[in-house]
Amino acid sequence: MTNVKAIEAAVTALPPEDLAESRRWSTEFSSARWDREIEQDMAAGKLDVFLAEAQADYLVGDSARAL
């Protein structure tokens, strides 16, 4: 049995209140991991192209509103 299958079996046996606590923990864990990945990508410059594109779109939008 794989680890994932063992976890799935354990989760299906949880009482409702423990399942709710597990969902809360999983959401917080996933959010924290996502935040770390975004911070690492930003520090590595992987998001620079998206920032430049957003800034260009913003400036075009400002110009269009001024007309």
Side-chain angles (χ1 to χ4, degrees), residues 5-41:
K5 292 296 182 189
I7 293 168
E8 288 174 353
V11 167
T12 61
L14 289 174
E17 53 277 346
D18 289 344
L19 182 58
E21 176 65 18
S22 174
R23 275 195 301 265
R24 183 201 59 74
W25 175 86
S26 180
T27 299
E28 289 177 4
F29 177 81
S30 295
S31 294
R33 179 173 278 184
W34 174 259
D35 289 345
R36 282 191 308 275
E37 289 174 9
I38 290 294
E39 289 170 3
Q40 291 169 352
D41 287 349

Side-chain angles (χ1 to χ4, degrees), residues 36-59:
R36 282 191 308 275
E37 289 174 9
I38 290 294
E39 289 170 3
Q40 291 169 352
D41 287 349
M42 286 176 56
K46 293 180 179 179
L47 303 178
D48 291 352
V49 66
F50 300 111
L51 176 59
E53 184 178 322
Q55 289 172 328
D57 288 348
Y58 177 78
L59 293 174

